[in-house]
Amino acid sequence: MTLSHLQRLEAESIHILREVVAEVERPVLLYSIGKDSGVMLHLALKAFYPAPLPFPLLHIASGWDFAAMLEHRDRMVAAHGLTLIVQHNAVAAAQGVNPFDTPTPLYTRVMLTDMLKAALDTGGFDAAFGGGRRDEEKARAKERIFSFRGPTHGWDPRHQRPELWNLYNAHKAKGDSIRVFPLSNWTELDIWEYIAAENIPIVPLYLAAKRPTVTRDGMILMVDDDRMVLRPGETIVERSIRFRTLGCYPLSGASDSLAATLPEVIQEMLLSTASERLGRAVDHDPSASMEKKKTEGYF
Amino acid sequence: MATGFAADPLIASDIAAYLAAQAAKPLIRVITCGSVDDGKSTLIGRMLYDSAQVFDDQLAALTADSKRLGTQGANLDFALLVDGLSAEREQGITIDVAYRFLSTPRAKLIIADCPGHEQYTRNMVTGASTADAAIVLVDARKGVLTQTRRHSTLVQLLGIRHILLAVNKLDLVDWSEARFQQISADYRAFAASIGLDDVTAIPISGLGGDNIVTPSANTPWYEGPALLPWLEGLDIAAKASPARAFRMPVQWVNRPDSEFRGFAGLVADGVIAPGDAVRVLPAGRTTTIARIVTADGDLAAAVAGQSVTLTLSDQVECARGSVIAAANDPPQTADQFEATIVWMADEALLPGRSYLLKLATQTVAATLATPKYQLDINTLAQLATKTLEMNAIGVVAITTARPIVFESFADSRDLGGFILIDRVSHATVAAGMIRFALRRSQNIHLQAIDTGREAHARLKQQRPMVLWLTGLSGAGKSTIANLVEKQLHLLGRHTFLLDGDNVRHGLNKDLGFTDADRIENIRRVGEVARLLTDAGLIVITAFISPFRAERAMVRAMMAPGEFIEIHVDTPLADAERRDVKGLYAKARAGKLRNFTGIDSPYEAPETPEIHIDTTAMSAEAAAMLIVERVTN
Ligand SMILES: Nc1nc2c(ncn2[C@@H]2O[C@H](COP(=O)(O)OP(=O)(O)O)[C@@H](O)[C@H]2O)c(=O)[nH]1
């Protein structure tokens, strides 16, 4: 019997999740509420069934997540009796850091990167599961499944441990931590196929619906709440849109779409020609920028 | 956009049918090997491009980059598609393992792309470790090179058996069939000499896309498969065959409540179903599979490659590191091995140093001897050496601190492959492949280490001793011994319990209950206890040991003051009334011969170090008393 690719990927991810739980002291799952996080959570629930999830979820809340994301998060937490930690930079927010006025790199660092480091330090977490995939980006293609970070959370691409067979070395010095990527070998298409096959709940924003939008700097933005101040000349237009990646709503570009069901979304994706990150303002930097962000401790 | 596979028409016409077809695709992992400039990056970029994995924005970037660098004149430089980290971009070489993802009509592929230089042996070994097959790239103008041989040797060493010889740049030798045949023949001869028999040779041009997706008009004389179809057709299900003996290393014990005790792991080999007899190693108990538990409901069977949770019919010793295996064909257990080692760290191998060895889910301390030899992987010559430097490969004897469950790497990647971890830097310093177990008697030249019994005891920070419990059958020896061990363990003492259960089934299974056999039984137990005290342990024994002479004999074996005789004193009438195992009844009925107290004498100790009157105190109180006496 030959296992299907999804079976093989699922088995590998579950194996990774279990190795971490068996070998580190305090793991945590970085839950960004997106489709990759959703798949990772689903795999974790499977890995430890019938036991409850042996680690908490961590959500780095910028304060600008889509409202539908927070609803989805709370639904999942309630449905599975999960422990959720929410980390938010209230100080920066009060000082006026926001996605509209603060330059994006600074905003990301203050609201997301720094908060992630702070949450990991405060919680004493020595391993954090992330939903990164190697097919996303060139820098990720070379990152190990177990990625070690020093006390300042930096990634050193020159000193990665060799990773052989399915033997993961979780030993580390005091103060070091591991970012673990159980979905390393999944592609975007695998993720969607798996969501369809396993009926994994996703944030409705992934499916097309009529939503209030404005077009700004070439991106279609959704007006998720009244904190979004219209610029002169902008008007709110109802459009049928969906999102390929979710994050802070003022930074997430939507695409026009009529794909209101999962199969239709997959169909549209396969027939489309722009790679996933195009819709994410955060990544609109020179080509090697992800690598730079990672060296700085971005997940 | 794509030139190779036209986008599947089902995507547009019937997405549900397309998804159903997707669901059955296997996942195949390959490694590409080639020397610099053989065209590896170009080939991989080509495969991505031809299988429609390149999106418009990436294509735009590629076009811009190609133009800027001008490596291919006005044409696209596919190699740029697979280029990675900025540091290596500047150097113009690939320095690490990168993974590429491809979806073809019949399979999903993961390609491990790693550099070919000798100084990157460790990267290649890493990439090869998870591969089902290898593409060995050769430049048609250059033919089989030293590098080609080295890569093939590594691939063979890492247990890859399916080899695709891609004879590239055939456009530069005028599509010469003769040249292709000659290179194929050269390579096959070499491959066979190192044990690679499954070789398929394909003439290609990565640059032009010839014989990558479909047969090329430029090679009408070639009738074999194109490269991607060959990959799609690979049989990767060998491990999941019922012909393979079942093995599952236990990763994690799932114990949500007192009712459920499941053993989570990735099936390494074979097939399993509820009711199948299994042996749990290293403890060695046999039982049967009760259930195969998954979140989607219980399974009727599981195969190699699946992550499952098994429950067992009996309460047997089983923890992380245990291996659940087919009862009639279990793997071996040993603590000395000969292994092939690939050294991966800046700091060279240090014979005699204690490293951590991780094999499947077992992690143990391990010491390496001076290498038997280093392998010159270009010539396969065996060179004398005292150590192994970064990227060197050698054969070394390894001793582990305790026995591990293993198989030879040739039989099983999962139970024969291991990594070594430096205890100080925590780095992965080597990859190893077990060749075979060594017998203790074999002469291993370990670095002289001055570790006598004092050193062992000092490490454990305890005084080694033997707590020798003696008394009638049913007196309560085992109960008390277990409690003592538990309490000592909680106090951080390293103990070991010897009783009928773990000795009679193995070491002494050839012995019965005649007086002669009872004496031999005690003598052997004494010898083992002595060795364990040499190892620094506190040994607890629970044997009737009815004869004074044998107890004296054992006392004499031990270092002075290390033998604590404990009389678990229960009157015969009481022991017989309890008769927990029903043995007295059997003995009275004449069904058991030579039963102590009935038709064989019990000689009570005259001056035991500790006397326990079980009619006057509970087992807990007795254990406390003993623990107090030995810890003060
Ligand atoms: N004529 C020809 N040139 C090729 C072919 N494949 C690769 N090359 C060229 O060989 C050189 C090295 O290729 P590259 O893919 O960078 O090699 P790598 O070092 O193995 O990754 C480049 O100039 C390529 O354009 C081929 O099939 N035919």
Side-chain angles (χ1 to χ4, degrees):
Chain A
M1 166 183 167
T2 304
L3 298 177
S4 75
H5 67 289
L6 290 179
Q7 284 176 308
R8 198 170 171 187
L9 290 170
E10 176 189 79
E12 178 186 79
S13 300
I14 288 177
H15 175 258
I16 293 164
L17 287 155
R18 288 169 171 172
E19 276 302 287
V20 172
V21 165
E23 296 218 331
V24 313
E25 279 168 32
R26 286 176 66 75
V28 66
L29 185 146
L30 190 74
Y31 186 59
S32 69
I33 324 176
K35 60 183 193 307
D36 300 309
S37 289
V39 166
M40 195 161 57
L41 174 60
H42 183 80
L43 290 164
L45 291 168
K46 279 191 154 189
F48 304 104
Y49 176 87
L53 212 60
F55 42 76
L57 266 51
L58 171 63
H59 175 215
I60 307 299
S62 64
W64 296 90
D65 289 311
F66 288 97
M69 291 171 68
L70 302 182
E71 283 159 26
H72 180 80
R73 178 194 74 187
D74 295 341
R75 233 183 352 259
M76 295 305 287
V77 166
H80 299 287
L82 307 172
T83 311
L84 174 73
I85 301 166
V86 178
Q87 179 85 17
H88 173 61
N89 195 343
V91 176
Q95 287 168 350
V97 173
N98 74 71
F100 296 112
D101 307 312
T102 315
T104 302
L106 179 66
Y107 169 80
T108 333
R109 186 168 64 72
V110 173
M111 300 311 280
L112 301 176
T113 313
D114 289 354
M115 283 303 95
L116 173 62
K117 293 182 194 175
L120 295 180
D121 290 344
T122 313
F125 297 113
D126 57 349
F129 294 111
R133 290 178 278 109
R134 285 173 174 157
D135 79 324
E136 275 176 273
E137 216 270 340
K138 280 176 184 172
R140 287 227 207 266
K142 302 207 167 180
E143 187 158 9
R144 304 289 190 253
I145 292 172
F146 279 46
S147 185
F148 289 80
R149 305 298 157 96
T152 57
H153 299 271
W155 178 53
D156 181 356
R158 290 261 167 193
H159 287 99
Q160 300 201 81
R161 293 179 183 175
E163 220 160 58
L164 292 117
W165 300 293
N166 54 15
L167 291 175
Y168 303 101
N169 170 6
H171 294 261
K172 57 193 177 320
K174 257 214 144 34
D176 285 1
S177 62
I178 323 176
R179 306 291 157 87
V180 182
F181 302 101
L183 304 181
S184 288
N185 289 324
W186 295 60
T187 64
E188 188 189 7
L189 181 56
D190 295 330
I191 294 285
W192 283 119
E193 285 172 11
Y194 190 67
I195 289 171
E198 299 274 304
N199 241 320
I200 299 173
I202 50 168
V203 182
L205 294 166
Y206 284 117
L207 305 178
K210 277 223 176 316
R211 299 186 170 106
T213 68
V214 295
T215 307
R216 182 177 291 180
D217 304 331
M219 282 204 295
I220 305 172
L221 298 181
M222 174 171 161
V223 184
D224 200 51
D225 56 43
D226 53 18
R227 289 179 298 171
M228 183 157 177
V229 182
L230 297 191
R231 291 180 187 165
E234 281 180 350
T235 45
I236 294 178
V237 183
E238 288 270 319
R239 291 166 83 146
S240 179
I241 54 161
R242 67 177 176 86
F243 292 85
R244 293 187 69 168
T245 59
L246 295 176
C248 303
Y249 81 79
L251 300 175
S252 300
S255 43
D256 284 312
S257 170
L258 295 173
T261 67
L262 198 52
E264 284 166 5
V265 168
I266 298 175
Q267 182 175 42
E268 204 169 76
M269 188 192 90
L270 288 170
L271 298 174
S272 90
T273 49
S275 68
E276 189 179 2
R277 285 179 165 269
L278 217 51
R280 222 189 265 181
V282 180
D283 291 320
H284 275 190
D285 297 350
S287 180
S289 70
M290 173 62 88
E291 185 187 339
K292 200 163 140 274
K293 287 203 217 72
K294 291 187 87 96
T295 339
E296 288 162 5
Y298 180 83
F299 208 82
Chain B
M1 146 194 74
T3 55
F5 299 121
D8 193 323
L10 270 184
I11 295 173
S13 64
D14 187 352
I15 186 69
Y18 171 81
L19 286 175
Q22 286 289 305
K25 282 186 187 177
L27 177 67
I28 293 168
R29 305 189 62 149
V30 282
I31 178 175
T32 50
C33 321
S35 314
V36 198
D37 281 349
D38 282 349
K40 192 154 56 71
S41 305
T42 307
L43 173 65
I44 296 172
R46 186 83 219 184
M47 290 197 278
L48 290 170
Y49 184 73
D50 281 356
S51 60
Q53 305 291 300
V54 182
F55 291 108
D56 275 2
D57 55 323
Q58 291 172 333
L59 199 57
L62 173 66
T63 313
D65 284 355
S66 299
K67 213 173 269 164
R68 187 165 51 81
L69 297 169
T71 38
Q72 288 301 321
N75 296 327
L76 294 179
D77 185 350
F78 293 112
L80 294 177
L81 267 181
V82 297
D83 229 342
L85 304 182
S86 50
E88 53 195 87
R89 261 197 177 185
E90 276 144 32
Q91 288 179 16
I93 51 160
T94 322
I95 53 161
D96 211 308
V97 192
Y99 297 90
R100 315 290 170 196
F101 302 84
L102 245 73
S103 183
T104 73
R106 281 160 57 210
K108 300 257 185 169
L109 302 175
I110 300 180
I111 300 174
D113 174 16
C114 24
H117 296 57
E118 188 147 6
Q119 65 264 40
Y120 299 125
T121 293
R122 67 175 208 154
N123 294 333
M124 183 147 168
V125 166
T126 303
S129 74
T130 50
D132 302 306
I135 300 177
V136 176
L137 211 63
V138 170
D139 185 327
R141 295 169 303 176
K142 300 181 193 156
V144 176
L145 303 175
T146 303
Q147 297 252 30
T148 320
R149 284 190 282 270
R150 184 158 54 78
H151 295 157
S152 304
T153 304
L154 288 176
V155 155
Q156 193 279 339
L157 205 61
L158 269 289
I160 299 175
R161 293 293 170 264
H162 304 295
I163 308 295
L164 191 156
L165 176 73
V167 182
N168 191 30
K169 306 194 188 181
L170 222 68
D171 53 314
L172 297 181
V173 294
D174 294 328
W175 308 104
S176 159
E177 177 181 11
R179 184 72 187 137
F180 170 72
Q181 294 299 357
Q182 184 204 336
I183 292 172
S184 308
D186 282 357
Y187 184 77
R188 279 181 206 284
F190 167 72
S193 76
I194 58 167
L196 292 173
D197 300 316
D198 181 3
V199 176
T200 303
I202 305 183
I204 66 163
S205 166
L207 202 59
D210 296 81
N211 288 326
I212 306 297
V213 177
T214 47
S216 165
N218 288 320
T219 54
W221 42 264
Y222 173 72
E223 289 175 344
L227 187 142
L228 280 170
W230 179 84
L231 287 174
E232 293 175 310
L234 278 176
D235 174 19
I236 52 159
K239 285 204 317 174
S241 148
R244 303 273 304 177
F246 174 76
R247 273 112 182 76
M248 188 190 89
V250 174
Q251 272 191 291
W252 187 70
V253 181
N254 192 334
R255 222 169 337 185
D257 52 51
S258 56
E259 295 296 298
F260 187 88
R261 192 153 172 262
F263 303 98
L266 178 63
V267 179
D269 242 314
V271 179
I272 195 80
D276 286 358
V278 290
R279 190 179 296 268
V280 181
L281 299 163
R285 294 300 177 83
T286 56
T287 178
T288 55
I289 299 294
R291 298 169 54 198
I292 304 173
V293 180
T294 78
D296 306 318
D298 283 11
L299 300 182
V303 304
Q306 282 181 298
S307 280
V308 292
T309 299
L310 303 177
T311 67
L312 305 175
S313 308
D314 304 286
Q315 285 268 351
V316 298
E317 193 181 319
C318 186
R320 175 170 169 86
S322 299
V323 176
I324 302 177
N328 58 1
D329 189 4
Q332 308 169 58
T333 303
D335 60 2
Q336 290 200 348
F337 310 92
E338 183 166 304
T340 306
I341 299 280
V342 183
W343 201 256
M344 300 183 151
D346 289 325
E347 203 184 335
L349 180 163
L350 197 62
R353 166 176 288 185
S354 174
Y355 297 96
L356 291 176
L357 179 152
K358 183 174 182 187
L359 181 145
T361 58
Q362 309 168 87
T363 303
V364 295
T367 325
L368 279 62
T370 303
K372 238 171 114 176
Y373 56 85
Q374 179 174 339
L375 197 67
D376 179 329
I377 46 170
N378 293 325
T379 63
L380 297 180
Q382 300 180 0
L383 314 171
T385 183
K386 290 212 162 5
T387 182
L388 295 175
E389 308 273 352
M390 165 98 102
N391 290 314
I393 297 180
V395 169
V396 181
I398 299 184
T399 305
T400 54
R402 58 182 168 78
I404 56 172
V405 185
F406 78 99
E407 291 190 278
S408 75
F409 185 78
D411 284 337
S412 162
R413 277 196 201 184
D414 297 271
L415 283 173
F418 61 87
I419 54 172
L420 294 175
I421 300 166
D422 186 282
R423 304 181 82 130
V424 177
S425 73
H426 310 288
T428 303
V429 293
M433 290 141 284
I434 293 183
R435 290 155 65 94
F436 43 77
L438 295 167
R439 275 185 295 120
R440 270 270 171 222
S441 54
Q442 253 163 312
N443 205 2
I444 306 301
H445 298 287
L446 279 179
Q447 198 83 336
I449 319 162
D450 190 16
T451 35
R453 67 192 318 270
E454 279 74 19
H456 293 132
R458 214 179 312 120
L459 189 66
K460 301 221 167 290
Q461 298 184 320
Q462 64 185 22
R463 196 160 62 87
M465 62 180 86
V466 178
L467 304 179
W468 188 278
L469 279 66
T470 171
L472 293 171
S473 172
K477 296 182 299 297
S478 294
T479 311
I480 295 172
N482 270 304
L483 290 168
V484 167
E485 171 156 66
K486 212 175 274 172
Q487 292 190 24
L488 285 174
H489 185 78
L490 285 176
L491 291 171
R493 302 299 204 281
H494 192 166
T495 57
F496 193 79
L497 177 63
L498 291 171
D499 63 12
D501 274 355
N502 61 12
V503 171
R504 281 274 181 195
H505 292 163
L507 177 65
N508 289 357
K509 70 176 169 203
D510 55 330
L511 301 179
F513 291 89
T514 62
D515 284 359
D517 279 0
R518 280 172 184 272
I519 291 166
E520 174 61 7
N521 184 41
I522 295 306
R523 188 192 70 78
R524 290 188 198 172
V525 170
E527 291 289 359
V528 171
R530 163 73 206 208
L531 289 173
L532 292 176
T533 59
D534 282 352
L537 270 55
I538 296 174
V539 184
I540 305 160
T541 69
F543 296 90
I544 299 173
S545 47
F547 307 129
R548 267 177 216 130
E550 277 68 57
R551 296 198 298 266
M553 167 183 77
V554 176
R555 184 185 288 272
M557 289 177 192
M558 304 301 158
E562 289 189 2
F563 184 78
I564 315 288
E565 191 173 14
I566 301 168
H567 184 198
V568 181
D569 194 358
T570 304
L572 178 63
D574 287 359
E576 190 168 357
R577 202 176 47 247
R578 290 184 209 152
D579 204 8
V580 237
K581 298 178 196 161
L583 297 175
Y584 283 95
K586 276 193 189 163
R588 289 286 181 205
K591 289 181 197 148
L592 260 186
R593 301 292 307 277
N594 299 324
F595 195 75
T596 301
I598 309 296
D599 57 347
S600 179
Y602 177 75
E603 303 170 352
E606 281 159 341
T607 50
E609 269 76 8
I610 301 175
H611 179 257
I612 303 288
D613 180 358
T614 65
T615 61
M617 66 174 92
S618 67
E620 282 76 10
M624 210 124 80
L625 182 98
I626 296 169
V627 170
E628 255 167 41
R629 286 284 296 276
V630 303
T631 51
N632 285 331

